[in-house]
Amino acid sequence: MTRQLPLQADCSIMTPGPTQVAENVRAALSLPCTNPDLDPAFYPFTRGICSDLEEFFHATDQEALILSGEGILGLEAAFASLTEPGDRVLVLDNGVYGRGNADFVKLYGGTPVLYSKDPHVPLDPAALAAYLAQDHDFAYASLVHCDTPSGILNDIGALLPILHRCGILTVVDAVSSAFGMPIDLGKEPADILCLGSQKALSAPPGLSMLLVGPAAWDKMARRKTPIASFYANLPAMRDYFKKQWFPYTMPSADLNGLRQALNNVLNDPGIFERHRKIAKAVRKALVSSGLTLYESAGYSDTVSVFLVPEGTTDRAILDGCRKEGVMFAGSFGFLSGKVIRIGHMGENARKEKVADALRVLDKVLGDLHVPLQADLEQVFLSELSSS
Ligand SMILES: *Cc1c(COP(=O)(O)O)cnc(C)c1O
């Protein structure tokens, strides 16, 4: 039997998560491992990452937690910890993740009330306010900042205060926007903000981070029924530093990677500006070449989404690009087969990487006889240099 080296990425990962992992993060992942439960240095090390997260998101009284599981674990833990049987939960839905949150609510005994709107545009704050004027008897609400399968970006700064004014707690999925777009908990006061390691932070998949505010902790403390999960349980993790005890062994290698990835972000003051310019230039290139963006407003700086052109398929485009060394993504849910997604977040939000990727996309679309009215790479580069 032959033994293989670990699986290597054989192409440029231009997907909206996971993203390319920087070399210094990969080096940090390979540092010697400790025993996270018994090594007294591991508690302040973990706490240090959490305090940096709190500072980065301008937390006032929110506490950061790190859970050992991909972004979905953080989401599930938020829903598991907040939901009590019988809770009515308002599920804001204008995308695949938005709608999917209803499943978590149901799973933990709550009653989801879907507020479903056009997935091509961001949620309208005035319409939400009008809806809540009729009915605001909700234990909490869930919403998504960037709904990645469509790329739609909701204005959480406008939506959250409307919910809070009605006394409704909020869970915000910011997995694919955070670290690529500014989020300020002072102005966007989510009661629980959910983050992941493998999107704009550009660490490998495997960790969830959450910022949890006092009103959310208070709802958990007032529960009449126990949280129906050991692993997806926020209070269980809350006092790890005070108690010098984790409910389960932390993945020390992943935390080393997270520490380095976060250092990279903290040392990169132009990070949001870079994402903004690159996103704008990618959209300009797509539109100038005659491709059609999925959304008609509310574009995220982390991902661009365009319709699969007439006469070809997402598979043909994705396979063609992979053969040329670039991995893009199709989509899923109600968007399956309909769109192509270009991730330009974190380590992928670099001029050279995006230019290379667009050159490949241009070539592959040409091979598939999709007529383009402009050169994707050229428009991208000229837009970037003029911005
Ligand atoms: C990536 C992502 C998650 C985490 O889920 P995956 O298993 O990585 O797909 C959650 N929410 C959003 C909006 C995401 O983009």
Side-chain angles (χ1 to χ4, degrees), residues 16-18 70-73 75 97-98 144-149 173-177 196 198-199 205 332 341 345:
E70 192 272 343
I72 292 292
L73 175 65
L75 285 176
Y97 280 100
V144 180
H145 191 200
C146 168
D147 209 312
T148 333
D173 175 350
V175 172
S176 69
S177 53
Q198 86 276 27
K199 305 278 165 98
F332 48 94
R341 298 183 297 156
M345 58 176 84

Side-chain angles (χ1 to χ4, degrees), residues 47-311:
R47 186 61 215 142
I49 301 175
C50 289
S51 353
D52 283 351
L53 288 169
E54 289 157 7
E55 198 180 317
F56 186 76
F57 290 99
H58 305 268
T60 43
D61 41 16
Q62 296 86 354
E63 295 167 40
L65 294 179
I66 303 168
L67 301 186
S68 168
E70 192 272 343
I72 292 292
L73 175 65
L75 285 176
E76 179 157 357
F79 286 94
S81 302
L82 278 187
T83 314
E84 279 211 89
D87 274 355
R88 271 183 100 225
V89 179
L90 182 63
V91 176
L92 303 190
D93 155 32
N94 62 335
V96 174
Y97 280 100
R99 187 174 308 176
N101 284 335
D103 297 338
F104 287 128
V105 173
K106 253 183 274 171
L107 199 56
Y108 290 96
T111 305
V113 177
L114 274 163
Y115 176 83
S116 296
K117 295 290 162 189
D118 182 356
H120 299 84
V121 290
L123 293 165
D124 173 10
L128 177 66
Y131 173 88
L132 291 174
Q134 305 298 315
D135 180 6
H136 52 257
D137 180 22
F138 298 107
Y140 69 94
S142 64
L143 61 162
V144 180
H145 191 200
C146 168
D147 209 312
T148 333
S150 59
I152 202 82
L153 185 80
N154 287 311
D155 182 358
I156 54 174
L159 296 165
L160 291 174
I162 293 170
L163 292 158
H164 287 157
R165 245 177 269 134
C166 295
I168 302 170
L169 295 179
T170 52
V171 175
V172 175
D173 175 350
V175 172
S176 69
S177 53
F179 304 102
M181 303 193 70
I183 298 175
D184 179 336
L185 284 168
K187 297 181 198 135
E188 293 146 339
D191 292 293
I192 302 185
L193 185 72
C194 301
L195 317 167
S197 56
Q198 86 276 27
K199 305 278 165 98
L201 188 54
S202 289
L207 295 175
S208 297
M209 292 83 71
L210 301 102
L211 286 120
V212 186
W217 288 126
D218 191 49
K219 171 154 172 45
M220 295 175 224
R222 284 186 286 104
R223 290 183 65 105
K224 294 183 197 75
T225 55
I227 294 170
S229 175
F230 181 80
Y231 211 62
N233 185 315
L234 298 178
M237 186 55 89
R238 185 179 188 185
D239 291 326
Y240 72 87
F241 189 69
K242 201 168 10 168
K243 295 184 190 153
Q244 302 278 292
W245 181 85
F246 289 107
Y248 44 81
T249 303
M250 294 298 277
S252 54
D254 286 345
L255 262 77
N256 283 332
L258 177 67
R259 176 70 271 178
Q260 184 60 57
L262 188 56
N263 289 353
N264 292 351
V265 168
L266 298 175
N267 291 331
D268 186 0
I271 192 166
F272 298 136
E273 182 69 359
R274 185 157 48 80
H275 278 79
R276 200 176 58 70
K277 286 186 173 162
I278 284 192
K280 187 158 167 273
V282 169
R283 290 197 299 272
K284 172 86 179 183
L286 293 172
V287 171
S288 303
S289 71
L291 295 165
T292 308
L293 298 177
Y294 176 77
E295 319 93 306
S296 43
Y299 307 100
S300 173
D301 293 344
T302 54
V303 56
S304 290
V305 184
F306 65 92
L307 302 183
V308 173
E310 290 287 319

Side-chain angles (χ1 to χ4, degrees), residues 12-14 20 347-348 350-357:
S12 173
I13 311 292
M14 294 301 291
Q20 203 92 26
E347 288 301 318
N348 294 346
R350 309 253 178 222
K351 176 177 155 182
E352 296 72 20
K353 282 209 70 181
V354 177
D356 283 347

